[in-house]
Amino acid sequence: MLTPPRTVVRREAGLYALERALQRRGFRYVAGADEAGRGACAGPLVAAAVVLPEGRRGEIDGLADSKLLTPASRERIHDEVVERALAYAVVVIPADEVDARGLHVCNLAAMRRSLASLAVRPEYVLTDGFGVDGLGVPGLAVWKGDRVAACVAAASVLAKVTRDRIMVDLDAEHPGYGFAEHKGYITAEHTAALRERGPCPEHRFSYVNVAAVSGLGDRPPRSRRPLGASREEPMEHSGTAGGTVGVALGEQPRRPAPVGEDVVMEGGVR
């Protein structure tokens, strides 16, 4: 059996180089997946998956890692991705499910669900940081993938904008925490509000800082959420793939390809 030639994608080749290289190898539909909200101690975890079209239509002006963009740029790019993408899907995991299942398990499950919900079946999958098993197609976990691959950057923007919009809505439901400003991440203002008010149902009680102010820090993480601190129904977001997801336990992250080095593919699969 002949081994396909080695493909090297150099970092300086730009945000679209990895997808274009895969497409030249016959993988026409390349999907990217990313999440937003891992580091937040309040609000949902949101994952998104995107398949961009080939050629110029898939090139979005200003596309980059969502963390490097201004809020106005993220909103503009979000709308362009939604308009241009061959397919996209967004999955929202509420805080109580993160507490019940664990952050890493929910992260993998959300990315898997978003990829499985795409209207166009991907032929190759690029993920940011963690490999996602069980997709039935080859894939590559890329370190800092949202700064290396356009489809992952597009997914990061969809996830970030969706989550930010949710946090603004939650600020109206739970005033006084500043969710609209810090989006549930740990800031001095958020910490002060937690100490003064205690946690609300949108906080993640499995997180050490929330458990400390709730008086539940001596319990195991998944038993810290008190009764009555869960939503009666999962959060839904208009036009997304849905609310909570079923999860598979025991998943372990694959070692990602590091940014700053050339990404090497043997036969299109690493």
Side-chain angles (χ1 to χ4, degrees):
M1 180 177 178
L2 295 176
T3 301
R6 184 181 177 92
T7 301
V8 177
V9 180
R10 303 194 181 281
R11 185 186 182 193
E12 61 270 19
L15 193 63
Y16 296 88
L18 183 52
E19 282 166 81
R20 298 296 181 256
L22 287 165
Q23 288 161 353
R24 288 195 298 271
R25 298 295 296 273
F27 298 102
R28 183 179 180 186
Y29 302 123
V30 180
D34 199 5
E35 53 72 32
R38 278 181 63 92
C41 68
L45 179 72
V46 178
V50 175
V51 179
L52 293 172
E54 297 178 80
R56 294 295 299 273
R57 180 166 175 76
E59 297 181 6
I60 297 171
D61 184 41
L63 179 62
D65 172 10
S66 63
K67 296 183 289 297
L68 303 178
L69 299 170
T70 65
S73 294
R74 282 197 297 265
E75 289 283 347
R76 176 186 62 80
I77 291 171
H78 170 279
D79 293 346
E80 283 202 47
V81 170
V82 168
E83 180 182 350
R84 296 193 189 194
L86 293 177
Y88 71 92
V90 181
V91 169
V92 179
I93 307 284
D96 53 1
E97 190 160 347
V98 173
D99 284 341
R101 303 289 189 175
L103 176 65
H104 183 62
V105 170
C106 285
N107 187 37
L108 291 179
M111 287 202 290
R112 183 184 298 108
R113 173 71 178 273
S114 65
L115 287 161
S117 299
L118 290 169
V120 173
R121 178 174 169 79
E123 297 171 345
Y124 200 101
V125 169
L126 299 171
T127 53
D128 183 30
F130 299 104
V132 180
D133 294 322
L135 298 174
V137 295
L140 179 69
V142 183
W143 185 250
K144 298 291 185 182
D146 44 11
R147 303 186 187 188
V148 176
C151 57
V152 179
S156 78
V157 171
L158 261 58
K160 173 67 173 168
V161 170
T162 299
R163 188 177 187 280
D164 284 357
R165 291 173 179 177
I166 290 171
M167 295 309 296
V168 171
D169 291 341
L170 291 179
D171 185 65
E173 294 180 27
H174 303 280
Y177 292 100
F179 288 156
E181 286 73 40
H182 54 64
K183 307 302 189 291
Y185 288 91
I186 304 169
T187 64
E189 293 77 14
H190 193 182
T191 299
L194 267 172
R195 289 173 178 166
E196 178 184 350
R197 297 170 173 270
C200 76
E202 296 299 335
H203 280 96
R204 301 177 186 174
F205 287 78
S206 55
Y207 280 43
V208 172
N209 64 320
V210 178
V213 298
S214 67
L216 302 172
D218 59 341
R219 298 187 186 182
R222 296 187 190 183
S223 65
R224 289 173 184 165
R225 178 171 285 269
L227 295 176
S230 299
R231 274 186 299 276
E232 294 181 359
E233 296 181 358
M235 180 186 301
E236 295 185 359
H237 180 71
S238 176
T240 68
T244 57
V245 298
V247 296
L249 300 176
E251 299 263 7
Q252 296 296 323
R254 290 184 235 161
R255 184 177 181 273
V259 70
E261 300 178 9
D262 295 339
V263 177
V264 182
M265 294 173 291
E266 300 278 0
V269 184
R270 188 178 178 83

